[in-house]
Amino acid sequence: MIALELKGITKRFGSIVANEGVDLQLKKGEILALLGENGSGKTTLMNMIAGIYFPDEGHIYVNGEEVVIRSPQDAFKQKIGMIHQHFKLVNVFDATQNIVLGNGKKKFNIKKSVSEVKEISEKYGFHIDPGKKIYDMSVSEKQTVEIIKVLYRGADILILDEPTAVLTPQETDKLFAVLKNMKEDGKSIIIITHKLNEVLEISDRVSVLRKGHYIGTVNTSETTESELTEMMVGKAIDLNIERIESEHVSDRLIVSNINCKNREGVKILENVTFTAKSGEILGIAGIAGSGQRELLESIAGLQKIDTGEITYIDPESGESVNLRDKTPTQIRELGVRLSFVPEDRLGMGLVGNMDIVDNMMLRSYENGKGIFLDRVNPSNLADSVISELEVVTPNSHTPVRRLSGGNVQKVLVGREISSSPKVLMVAYPVRGLDVNSSYLIYGLLNKQKENGTAVIFVGEDLDVLLALCDRIMVINSGKITGIVDARTVKKEDVGLLMTKTFDNDAKEVEDGGSNE
Amino acid sequence: MMFFVFLTSAISMGVTFLYGCVGEIITEKSGHLNLGIPGIMCVGGFGGCLGVSIYMQSLSSPDNANWFLLIIISMFFSVLFSAMFGALYCFLTVTLRANQNVTGLAITTFGVGFTNYFVKNINMANFTKASALISYSPLKGKLGEFGDIFVSHGFFIYFAIVIAIVAALVLNKTRVGLNLRAVGENPATADAAGISVTKYRYIATIIGSMIAGLGGLFYIMDRLGGHWEYVLDIMGWLAIALVIFTLWKPIISIFGSILFGGLYIAGSYITGLSIHQKELFGLLPYVITVIVLIITSVLDSKENQPPAALGLNYFREDR
C-alpha cells in the first residue's frame, strides 16, 4: 500500500529549477532514504510535502487520494509531519509546552499533555523529560522534542531532513532504534541523509535525486555504496571550464595538524594538514558542514585553533610567518583574503543596508587623509567591479540588500579579488548563480591563479571542482580523507572519500565530548 | 500612624504605574516594544476626562451622578482613545513594518501633543465632584488607619489588581497565553505551529494600550482629584521601567508598583528636605531599575529575560 505518492512535481525559484518532474513513492510502514548531492532538490521536494512551498506543477497523493497542501496546517491534516534541520522551538518553554504549542483542537491541559508526551516516549523508546527547558537541552534532546511534537499531532508520515547531521554516532543509533519502532507501528518515514552507511543501515528503499531530477529507486538490500554513489553523482557532464597550467608553483601557506572545537566543545577540525601553493587552485570538497567554514576561518584568524600551526610564506622575502599569533587585520594585511559566501549571503562580509561603495570601504576605511575618509578610490573600485563583473544594479549607491543573490556574490568576490591577494579563499562563490555568472567567477579565479595567488576554493559541485582545480582536498567530518590530483582522479573516488566513514569514529567523538 | 498614611498613598500612586506596567507586559510578551505607552497614558487620561465631562454635562445637577455610569462612561472613552493609538502603533509596525522604537517614540510624542492641545477644550466643571464619586469607598475610615491601607481606595485601584492577576493567569495558565509568549519569543516557530503572529500582536498591543490608558484616567480622576496636570508621560516612562524591574511578571508588578509609588512620593513624607532634594526621590525608581538590570544580566538567567523577539518585526518571507 502506498502512503504517499508524488507525480511530476516541478518547482522553480525564478529561473532556477529546483525540482523537475519528480516522481516518488512512499510505501506504508517503510523507511525511504532520499539521497542526493547538495542542491539536488531534496529539501525543496520535502518542503512541498510539508506545506512550506507549493509546487508549480504536479500532483500529491496521500493514501491514494489527491490532496492539495498549501500550508503546514494542511500537511498536519494529512497526517504529514516534517522535522526540519533547523529546529523550530521556543527556548524558554519546556518540552511539553513546545509540543502542545498552537495545537488548538485539544483542550488545554498541561498535566494531561505531560502524560501524553510520556506515553508517546515510552511507546517508541524516547528518553525525554517533559518538564525540561529547551535551553538546557542537547541537540539530540531538541530533536527528540521535534519528533514528539510531530507524533503528538498524530502524524503517520514523518519526514526527517538530515537528522543525523547534528548527532553523535551513539545518538544516531538511538534515533535509528526509535525510527525502527515507529516503522513497526505502521508509520511511514522519509529520511534525508548524505551518509551512505546510514542509508544502508536504516532504509528499506533508496530514492536518488540529482540536480532536481529523479534518478531512480532501488531496494536497499540489493544495492551497494558504489552503486548509490554513481546514481547520486552521475556521469560527468563536461563543463568545459578552462584550466590553465600552473606556473611558478611554490609553497605559500602551510597548514599543519590544526585542531579546533566549536562552541559546544565538539571537535570540528581534526589534525588538518595541507599546503596551498601559489599559482594553483586547491579545491576543497566535502559534505556541507564538514568543517570547511571553520578551516577557512582558522586561516583568516577568525576561529581559535587549539593546536597546530599555520605558516604563511611571504612571496617577496621568502620569510615564514606564523599566522597563529596574528590578528585578523594583520593576516589580511599580509594578503590572505577570505571571501566566504555563507548561506545567508549577507551575514558575513557585506552590510546589507549599505551601498556598494560603502561596502567596498569596509576594506579601506583606514585609508584617507586626516580624519576624512577616502571615498574616491572605493567609488572607482565599485564602478569597475560593476562593469567588469556585470553586476546588475541601478548604480553604485544601491543598498546591497536590494541586489539579487548572484549580484551580491559578485560584489563580495569582486572586492576581495581587487586587493590582489596572495592567498584567496572562496567558499561556494557560485552558489545560486546562473551559468553565465558562474563562469565569470571561474574566470576570475583562473586569473588570480595566473597572477600567482594561492587560491583555495570550497565548492559543492564535484564536476566544477574536477574541471577547475589543480588539486582537490576532501574533508569529511573535520578530517582530511585525501588530497588528490584533479587532473587524474575519478569523480566516484572523490564521492567515496566524501562519504566514507571511519571505523574509530564513535570512540573519537566520545573522547572529544569528555574533554569539555 | 504616619506610615499607614504613607503606604495608603503609595498604593494609590503605584496603581498608576501598575496599569501602564501590566499593559506594557502584555504588549511586550507579543514581541512589541511599545515605547508609545507614555503617550497612550496621556490619551487614556484625556479620553477618561472627556467621558467624565460628557456625562457630567448631560446631568441636570452634578449631585445626580451615578457611580456605576460615571465609571463605565469614563472607562469607555479612555480605552477608546488608547486603543486607537495602540492600533495605530500596530498598523505602523506590523502592517507597514516600521521600526518599533521609532514608532513607539513617535506615538509618545504624538499622544502627548494631542492631549496637551485638546485637553484645554474639555469642560472640567464638576470634576471635583466626579472625582469624589470615582474614588468613593464605602468602608473608608471605618477600619482605622491600618484598615484604610486596604479598604479606603476607589474602584480603579482594585480593578488594576484584578487586571494584573487575570493577566498573570492568562499568560501562564492558558493556551492563549502560551501562544502569545511563543509569538514574542520566536515568531517563526509560532507561525509554523499555526499561530497567527499578526493577530496576536495586534490584539495584545491594543489590549495592552487600553489597560495602560486606564492608568491615565485613574491618575487624573482619582489620585489628583480631578485636576489636570501635564505629568502623565512621566508616569508612562516609570511604568516602562517597572516592566523591567518586575521581570515581565504581572504578579510581581503589583508589589513593584507599590514600591515605585512609595519611592516616588517618599520625598514629601520626609521632613526637612528642600524641593530639590525631594525631586531626587523621584529618581529612585529608575536607579533601582538599573540595579535590577545589572543583577539579572550578571546572573545570566535564561528565564528572567525580555521576550527573545522583543522589538523585532516579523515577516515570513524573511526566513
Side-chain angles (χ1 to χ4, degrees):
Chain A
M1 181 151 168
I2 307 291
L4 177 75
E5 187 168 13
L6 307 181
K7 277 187 187 161
I9 297 284
T10 298
K11 178 73 186 172
R12 297 180 202 91
F13 295 103
S15 60
I16 297 158
V17 182
N19 289 122
E20 196 168 359
V22 175
D23 302 316
L24 199 72
Q25 275 191 351
L26 174 68
K27 290 180 187 162
K28 207 168 164 52
E30 78 162 350
I31 298 179
L32 176 74
L34 191 59
L35 198 63
E37 285 184 296
N38 286 323
S40 56
K42 305 180 298 280
T43 303
T44 307
L45 187 66
M46 291 302 108
N47 276 338
M48 281 187 273
I49 305 171
I52 310 276
Y53 299 141
F54 189 72
D56 295 334
E57 287 165 31
H59 307 274
I60 300 174
Y61 302 85
V62 174
N63 295 322
E65 278 176 45
E66 180 160 8
V67 295
V68 178
I69 300 172
R70 286 188 178 276
S71 68
Q73 282 67 51
D74 288 350
F76 293 140
K77 274 181 216 148
Q78 301 301 333
K79 303 196 165 197
I80 298 169
M82 180 157 171
I83 292 104
H84 296 271
Q85 227 178 330
H86 304 286
F87 304 134
K88 291 197 180 298
L89 296 169
V90 178
N91 263 330
V92 293
F93 286 6
D94 65 27
T96 312
Q97 287 173 326
N98 266 293
I99 289 163
V100 303
L101 188 66
N103 192 0
K105 271 173 248 157
K106 294 180 189 166
K107 199 171 170 289
F108 188 70
N109 181 341
I110 284 284
K111 271 185 198 158
K112 195 164 155 264
S113 305
V114 167
S115 63
E116 281 170 350
V117 168
K118 280 188 181 151
E119 221 171 89
I120 294 172
S121 316
E122 275 163 33
K123 188 172 172 189
Y124 297 111
F126 291 110
H127 297 284
I128 186 91
D129 172 4
K132 195 169 178 181
K133 298 278 172 134
I134 301 298
Y135 58 73
D136 279 333
M137 290 187 176
S138 68
V139 179
S140 135
E141 283 175 299
K142 286 180 192 172
Q143 187 179 61
T144 307
V145 175
E146 283 279 16
I147 296 173
I148 296 177
K149 193 160 107 182
V150 166
L151 292 171
Y152 182 83
R153 288 171 178 243
D156 282 334
I157 299 168
L158 283 93
I159 303 163
L160 295 102
D161 190 358
E162 295 193 36
T164 60
V166 291
L167 300 183
T168 64
Q170 290 87 342
E171 289 167 340
T172 304
D173 289 343
K174 268 190 214 163
L175 173 69
F176 283 179
V178 167
L179 290 183
K180 279 173 187 156
N181 286 341
M182 291 201 269
K183 174 178 139 184
E184 271 159 34
D185 192 48
K187 310 268 183 206
S188 318
I189 299 164
I190 300 179
I191 176 169
I192 299 181
T193 175
H194 288 294
K195 299 178 187 168
L196 288 174
N197 63 321
E198 291 178 358
V199 170
L200 294 175
E201 184 188 338
I202 186 77
S203 68
D204 298 302
R205 295 187 307 144
V206 189
S207 292
V208 181
L209 293 185
R210 189 200 310 152
K211 294 188 172 140
H213 292 269
Y214 172 74
I215 301 301
T217 300
V218 289
N219 288 325
T220 310
S221 53
E222 298 160 9
T223 189
T224 60
E225 278 198 27
S226 55
E227 189 194 352
L228 289 176
T229 309
E230 202 184 310
M231 284 176 78
M232 188 164 92
V233 177
K235 295 282 168 274
I237 300 150
D238 190 11
L239 278 156
N240 281 327
I241 297 173
E242 191 195 3
R243 171 163 41 205
I244 53 170
E245 284 312 308
S246 307
E247 282 171 39
H248 324 295
V249 178
S250 66
D251 291 359
R252 179 62 55 84
L253 192 70
I254 300 165
V255 173
S256 61
N257 276 312
I258 58 170
N259 284 285
C260 74
K261 291 192 185 110
N262 66 6
R263 264 188 235 129
E264 280 87 40
V266 178
K267 261 191 192 174
I268 204 89
L269 288 180
E270 223 179 316
N271 291 327
V272 172
T273 301
F274 69 93
T275 304
K277 294 174 182 164
S278 60
E280 184 188 79
I281 299 180
L282 174 68
I284 298 183
I287 291 155
S290 299
Q292 295 96 321
R293 182 194 183 125
E294 286 78 7
L295 178 59
L296 298 196
E297 288 185 359
S298 313
I299 297 170
L302 302 173
Q303 164 90 37
K304 195 182 161 292
I305 50 178
D306 295 330
T307 57
E309 299 296 330
I310 300 170
T311 313
Y312 168 77
I313 296 166
D314 196 298
E316 273 124 47
S317 61
E319 273 175 62
S320 298
V321 185
N322 191 349
L323 295 188
R324 241 191 110 166
D325 316 321
K326 303 277 182 202
T327 63
T329 322
Q330 289 171 326
I331 292 174
R332 229 179 44 228
E333 276 163 6
L334 284 171
V336 179
R337 300 285 161 150
L338 173 63
S339 157
F340 194 86
V341 183
E343 274 158 55
D344 59 352
R345 286 200 189 108
L346 285 174
M348 213 169 145
L350 295 176
V351 179
N353 282 334
M354 294 188 348
D355 65 25
I356 300 174
V357 175
D358 285 353
N359 271 295
M360 295 295 159
M361 288 177 65
L362 286 179
R363 284 283 181 268
S364 64
Y365 63 91
E366 287 151 330
N367 306 342
K369 287 189 186 110
I371 58 166
F372 295 106
L373 288 165
D374 172 16
R375 295 191 83 89
V376 179
N377 287 328
S379 180
N380 293 340
L381 175 60
D383 288 335
S384 73
V385 167
I386 290 168
S387 61
E388 275 173 39
L389 303 194
E390 293 157 28
V391 178
V392 182
T393 170
N395 55 52
S396 60
H397 294 288
T398 306
V400 170
R401 164 175 58 89
R402 295 233 191 100
L403 305 181
S404 76
N407 287 308
V408 169
Q409 262 149 280
K410 286 185 203 169
V411 171
L412 180 60
V413 176
R415 183 185 70 193
E416 297 304 329
I417 286 175
S418 70
S419 59
S420 54
K422 305 289 184 284
V423 177
L424 177 67
M425 297 182 280
V426 287
Y428 314 118
V430 297
R431 182 178 280 179
L433 295 194
D434 57 40
V435 181
N436 227 343
S437 313
S438 302
Y439 276 69
L440 230 145
I441 300 273
Y442 302 144
L444 286 170
L445 294 179
N446 268 329
K447 210 168 160 202
Q448 290 302 312
K449 174 179 162 182
E450 225 169 1
N451 293 346
T453 306
V455 180
I456 299 175
F457 172 56
V458 177
E460 41 199 348
D461 192 328
L462 281 183
D463 293 323
V464 172
L465 282 170
L466 286 168
L468 181 70
C469 301
D470 298 290
R471 289 181 303 149
I472 295 175
M473 177 165 90
V474 184
I475 189 166
N476 183 346
S477 316
K479 286 176 237 179
I480 305 298
T481 45
I483 300 179
V484 293
D485 187 339
R487 289 179 174 81
T488 52
V489 73
K490 277 198 209 117
K491 190 175 177 184
E492 286 72 17
D493 296 334
V494 178
L496 271 178
L497 283 172
M498 281 167 64
T499 47
K500 166 175 123 178
T501 42
F502 313 96
D503 297 334
N504 53 354
D505 220 15
K507 195 182 161 292
E508 280 173 4
V509 169
E510 210 169 58
D511 288 346
S514 64
N515 285 343
E516 204 187 339
Chain B
M1 242 177 97
M2 188 68 174
F3 180 70
F4 295 156
V5 176
F6 168 70
L7 199 56
T8 311
S9 182
I11 290 172
S12 92
M13 182 68 233
V15 159
T16 315
F17 307 138
L18 183 57
Y19 275 111
C21 176
V22 173
E24 180 69 358
I25 288 175
I26 294 171
T27 308
E28 291 198 7
K29 283 289 180 186
S30 79
H32 267 165
L33 178 64
N34 187 357
L35 293 180
I37 286 293
I40 286 168
M41 286 181 78
C42 285
V43 294
F46 165 81
C49 290
L50 184 66
V52 171
S53 178
I54 289 171
Y55 178 65
M56 295 308 275
Q57 302 296 312
S58 71
L59 300 169
S60 52
S61 155
D63 298 323
N64 296 343
N66 176 298
W67 177 83
F68 180 74
L69 281 177
L70 180 61
I71 286 192
I72 287 295
I73 291 171
S74 61
M75 265 175 72
F76 173 79
F77 279 93
S78 174
V79 300
L80 180 73
F81 277 89
S82 42
M84 281 191 321
F85 275 69
L88 177 64
Y89 176 89
C90 290
F91 179 70
L92 291 169
T93 58
V94 179
T95 309
L96 301 183
R97 297 170 188 171
N99 179 292
Q100 291 192 17
N101 297 330
V102 176
T103 307
L105 293 172
I107 294 275
T108 286
T109 316
F110 179 36
V112 173
F114 174 90
T115 304
N116 292 356
Y117 182 76
F118 284 105
V119 77
K120 293 167 192 149
N121 301 325
I122 294 179
N123 182 346
M124 296 207 181
N126 303 322
F127 263 41
T128 318
K129 279 195 171 142
S131 171
L133 197 57
I134 282 177
S135 55
Y136 169 73
S137 161
L139 292 171
K140 188 173 186 174
K142 288 183 182 160
L143 298 177
E145 280 190 337
F146 180 70
D148 270 357
I149 297 173
F150 306 101
V151 300
S152 69
H153 306 291
F155 165 80
F156 279 107
I157 289 192
Y158 304 107
F159 189 54
I161 292 166
V162 170
I163 286 177
I165 292 168
V166 170
L169 289 176
V170 170
L171 281 175
N172 297 316
K173 300 285 176 198
T174 66
R175 179 184 301 283
V176 170
L178 187 73
N179 291 355
L180 177 64
R181 285 188 289 143
V183 167
E185 288 289 341
N186 192 337
T189 296
D191 192 26
I195 301 165
S196 166
V197 176
T198 304
K199 194 172 92 187
Y200 268 82
R201 286 198 160 172
Y202 257 95
I203 292 174
T205 306
I206 291 173
I207 288 178
S209 299
M210 286 157 73
I211 293 170
L214 288 178
L217 163 64
F218 163 81
Y219 190 68
I220 300 295
M221 290 313 298
D222 186 323
R223 171 89 190 164
L224 291 186
H227 303 289
W228 182 267
E229 273 185 31
Y230 296 97
V231 291
L232 285 176
D233 45 335
I234 296 167
M235 305 298 141
W237 293 119
L238 277 163
I240 291 175
L242 185 58
V243 173
I244 301 163
F245 176 78
T246 60
L247 305 171
W248 292 267
K249 291 184 175 67
I251 294 293
I252 297 182
S253 73
I254 297 173
F255 303 100
S257 68
I258 298 170
L259 176 68
F260 269 42
L263 290 170
Y264 193 76
I265 60 168
S268 314
Y269 284 78
I270 298 170
T271 46
L273 292 180
S274 72
I275 288 188
H276 301 296
Q277 284 166 329
K278 282 180 185 175
E279 288 286 321
L280 276 179
F281 276 85
L283 198 74
L284 284 177
Y286 295 110
V287 175
I288 59 168
T289 300
V290 170
I291 292 169
V292 166
L293 265 180
I294 292 169
I295 292 171
T296 49
S297 65
V298 167
L299 291 179
D300 198 22
S301 154
K302 294 248 175 25
E303 294 285 338
N304 297 324
Q305 295 296 332
L310 183 63
L312 304 176
N313 289 341
Y314 174 72
F315 22 106
R316 191 183 287 174
E317 303 95 273
D318 238 22
R319 269 184 291 196

